[in-house]
Structure formats: structure tokens, C-alpha cells
Amino acid sequence: MNKNDLTILLASPRGFCAGVDRAIEIVERALVKHGAPVYVRHEIVHNRYVVESLEQKGAVFVQELDQVPEGLPVIFSAHGVPKSVPAAAQARELLYFDATCPLVSKVHREAERHEKDGRQVILIGHAGHPEVIGTMGQLSDGSIVLVETEEDAENLTVEDPDNLAFVTQTTLSVDDTASIVRILMRRFPNMLEPKKEDICYATTNRQEAVKAIATRCDALLVIGAPNSSNSKRLVEVAYKQGCEKAALVQRATDIKWDALNGVKTLGITAGASAPEILVEEVIDAFKDHYNVSIEEINIRDENVIFKVPKTLLDTPATKDIR
């Protein structure tokens, strides 16, 4: 069979960020130190391959803390949890490890500081996302209000327009968030903003990398989970850059080959919770169908590392997922 030529533009940075890497490492080290099973409240990160790989090692994923048996360790996911969750774990005297990304924890501390100073907090984010639930759960009822869209920002009513601050979910579209912030600042010019932007470095870098390749692509695939906020934003960024054939795939078996007929240049990237092994799997699938040449477009290097809790430092991690 004669194969058509295909150029793959491989975006970089892509895939795992430091927060995801740390969260997975915490589960791996806990399994080595305490043995299986180790319980994890919610998906440690939004990726089925990662979750299933950890399940094979003895991790048990549950939705709520009351599903964790007495005397067994539990880990909180990278997205963060409301204050009520560690409080409940302490009440039951459970050994717990908090795998919340440090950049999410930074947002939590910001929001807490604003509440302590008497400000109402506006959280820009997506309702129902675990990170948003966790951030809103840091504050008392009424102290924080969620804004999802530009329309929300235009219609928002507050008690004291001169005593506001905003924080954001870490995995939002940089451009969409900037538009919402502009509306809020126009309406509430005395609103305090974060000293350092809350959208994390990895989200920003991956979106910029997609922008760098999207205009050159006939189609672009984002490897990531359908419940991954940062992965879905990458598809949106590609589409807004004019790449109308932008799609999210969890792995190679999800590729819709008919939709790629006539494609000569394909962009590939991966969300911050997708391991590189899935990128390799997708590329190998294309090599079965095309004569592939690969051009990697690297917009910047990442060297961020987050340390695991001190109680796990003396325990090795397997590192076969990462």
C-alpha cells in the first residue's frame, strides 16, 4: 500500500507538568512505603491511562472520604480539596497525603488572605471542576462568587464594589480569562488582582505552543482526557487560531481517520496530565498510515520541580508512568 506523506508538528512543551508529576510520585511513593492498597480521593489527575496504571499497582480510587476504610492511607488529588476534606480525615485519624498542586495551593492562600482582609473574592473558573470546588471550599459561604463567562462578568452584582479581589482557576484559557478580567476591571476598577497570574506556567506554555503551530496545521490533535480542563482549552486555542480540524483524543484508538483525509500537516500536543507514552502511541499509529516526518516546535524549556511531602522523601518512586 502506498502511503501519503505527513508532516507532524510536535508542540513543546506538552504533556506532564510539575504538579501532575508530583501528584503521581506521591501515589507511587505511598504505595512503596505503606504497601497496597493506598486510597486516592478522586482521580489523582484527569487521565485514565495514569489512573489505571496506578490501580494496577494497588491504588484504589474513590469519590468520597467515607469510602476509605479505617487505618489505610488516603491521598487527595492534584486539583485540591475543600477544607472540609482534610478536617474529616483528621477527625477519623486517617493518614493522608495532600497531592494538591502547589500552584493551586497558592490560589487557595490568596483567597484566604483576601477573606481575612474583609474582601469578597471573585473566582474565575468552571463550575463543577474539582479545582473550583476546592478553591471555593477554602472560604466561608458568601465570601467567594464564581464567574464563568464574559456575560457573568457583565451581570455580576456585589455588596461592595470597592472591596473586591479576584483569583482564577489555574487551567483556563489565557485569552478568554483576560477578556473576563477586562470586563471586571472596567466595572470594578478598585478590584485587587493576583500579584502573580494564577493561570499556571504549564497551561500558559502549552497554549502558546499550540498557537505556534496551529496556523501551519491542516488538523491538530490534543492528547488528553475529556474531563481535563487544560486539554479542552488547547483544542479551543487551536480552533481560534484557525485550525478548524482540532480534536481531543485520549489515545490512538480514538483517532477518527476519515476526518483526516487530505491532511498533509498535523499538529500534535498533549495536555498537562497526559503521559508522553500516549504521544508516542499516537505517532506510531500515524506511522502505520503515513510516511511521517516530525518537526518539533519548542517555544521554551521547562525546569520546574515540586518536592513531595517530607514523610515520603526516603521512599523511591517507580517512575514508569512518567
Side-chain angles (χ1 to χ4, degrees), residues 15 31 135 144 219 242 282 288 291 296 317:
L31 282 164
T135 299
I144 187 166
V282 166
D288 290 338
N291 293 316
E296 185 159 5

Side-chain angles (χ1 to χ4, degrees), residues 253-310:
T253 50
D254 297 327
I255 297 170
K256 293 181 171 56
W257 296 102
D258 290 346
L260 298 173
N261 286 338
V263 169
K264 297 185 182 331
T265 303
L266 174 74
I268 292 179
T269 190
S273 48
E276 185 66 13
I277 191 170
L278 299 185
V279 177
E280 295 168 0
E281 177 187 275
V282 166
I283 291 173
D284 286 343
F286 276 97
K287 287 180 178 178
D288 290 338
H289 289 76
Y290 296 89
N291 293 316
V292 170
S293 60
I294 298 174
E295 180 183 350
E296 185 159 5
I297 311 296
N298 183 25
I299 62 156
R300 80 179 41 89
D301 295 326
E302 291 181 346
N303 53 14
V304 179
I305 297 173
F306 294 136
K307 293 181 179 179
V308 300
K310 290 181 181 178

Side-chain angles (χ1 to χ4, degrees), residues 29 36 55 68-69 103 123 193 207-208 224 285:
R29 286 177 184 256
E55 283 177 334
V68 180
L103 298 179
L123 170 61
E193 55 187 318
Q207 289 179 21
E208 288 184 9

Side-chain angles (χ1 to χ4, degrees), residues 44-201:
I44 187 69
V45 298
H46 283 157
N47 188 274
R48 286 307 306 166
Y49 179 89
V50 171
V51 168
E52 289 168 4
S53 297
L54 292 172
E55 283 177 334
Q56 290 172 7
K57 297 179 179 183
V60 178
F61 292 85
V62 296
Q63 285 303 303
E64 298 302 337
L65 210 59
D66 59 14
Q67 296 172 266
V68 180
E70 300 294 334
L72 291 177
V74 62
I75 298 167
F76 306 148
S77 79
H79 310 102
V81 295
K83 280 186 174 179
S84 58
V85 173
Q90 289 170 0
R92 290 182 56 196
E93 298 183 348
L94 293 175
L95 174 64
Y96 69 87
F97 301 98
D98 189 352
T100 301
C101 172
L103 298 179
V104 174
S105 296
K106 163 188 166 288
V107 177
H108 290 182
R109 303 293 82 79
E110 283 178 333
E112 285 180 317
R113 188 178 69 252
H114 290 312
E115 182 183 36
K116 183 179 178 181
D117 292 341
R119 301 185 191 94
Q120 186 174 25
V121 178
I122 298 169
L123 170 61
I124 302 172
H126 298 296
H129 189 278
E131 183 182 331
V132 166
I133 293 170
T135 299
M136 296 188 77
Q138 303 304 307
L139 308 187
S140 57
D141 290 345
S143 294
I144 187 166
V145 59
L146 181 64
V147 167
E148 294 189 81
T149 64
E150 292 182 17
E151 184 180 4
D152 288 347
E154 288 285 7
N155 296 327
L156 179 66
T157 57
V158 296
E159 292 181 5
D160 185 354
D162 294 322
N163 203 22
L164 300 172
F166 81 86
V167 296
T168 83
Q169 187 177 334
T170 63
T171 55
L172 300 177
S173 161
V174 173
D175 294 338
D176 290 350
T177 304
S179 297
I180 293 172
V181 170
R182 279 194 293 272
I183 293 169
L184 291 172
M185 293 302 292
R186 168 173 54 77
R187 296 192 60 215
F188 312 114
N190 293 327
M191 181 177 64
L192 295 184
E193 55 187 318
K195 292 179 180 178
K196 185 178 181 183
E197 188 173 20
D198 289 337
I199 296 177
C200 79
Y201 78 94

Side-chain angles (χ1 to χ4, degrees), residues 31-50:
L31 282 164
V32 172
K33 183 166 186 172
H34 298 283
V38 166
Y39 281 73
V40 185
R41 183 185 179 275
H42 293 179
E43 291 187 338
I44 187 69
V45 298
H46 283 157
N47 188 274
R48 286 307 306 166
Y49 179 89
V50 171

